[in-house]
Amino acid sequence: MASLTRIGAWLHARAENLLAAMLATMFVVFIVQIIFRYLLNFPIGWTHEISVIMWVWLVLFGTAFVVRDYEEIRFDLLYSTVSERTRRAMVVICAVTVVFFFAISLPAVLDYIGFMKVEKTAYLKIRFDWLYSIYGLFAIAMIVRQLWLGYQAIWGRPGEAIDVTKIKSGI
């Protein structure tokens, strides 16, 4: 079990590295876009295309593989005021709802991603099925994550008590 934990920690660190590389790429390309547009008076389109691609991948990849459950945004006003049993029930209801909607949409999502192989981006000629594939991974990761959270809420150990004095923004 300890080796699985180490492997998971290593994979999580590599996912964070990849996310940082995407953010750095987006930033550099954005600066290049500003230089070409406003200093050289020569707008280029590929920079905008890369920025948009990096943004979409950054958000979906980050949410699927990097952001942990306790780092997600919630409405803590209600969640933190109820009992542990009620919190567990809220997690189970949310998990079942998310799994249901992602699961029923998954076949159509995968079909659409496959269909988009015929289209390419305007400047870089990247196939759209490659670009949209991150959403398929995101949907599958959300199903797995919510199944795990629901399992933990029903049969797992109780979550940590919420201490509003220790809540931080992560900044």
Side-chain angles (χ1 to χ4, degrees), residues 71-119:
E71 296 171 329
E72 290 180 357
I73 297 171
R74 347 192 121 102
F75 294 105
D76 283 346
L77 287 173
L78 178 61
Y79 189 78
S80 63
T81 60
V82 297
S83 69
E84 174 67 26
R85 184 179 171 118
T86 305
R87 274 197 295 268
R88 285 178 176 231
M90 291 167 75
V91 169
V92 169
I93 291 168
C94 181
V96 167
T97 304
V98 170
V99 167
F100 174 77
F101 284 115
F102 271 108
I104 64 169
S105 71
L106 193 58
V109 164
L110 297 177
D111 186 47
Y112 185 73
I113 291 169
F115 169 74
M116 290 307 292
K117 70 182 174 194
V118 298
E119 295 288 329

Side-chain angles (χ1 to χ4, degrees), residues 7 15 19 34 39 44 51 54 59-60 62 66 80 86 88-89 92 95 133-134 140-143 165 169:
I7 292 169
L19 208 60
I34 289 171
L39 295 178
I44 48 180
S51 292
M54 287 297 104
V59 169
L60 295 176
V66 176
S80 63
T86 305
R88 285 178 176 231
V92 169
S133 65
I134 189 59
I140 292 167
M142 288 299 100
I143 290 170
T165 62
S169 67

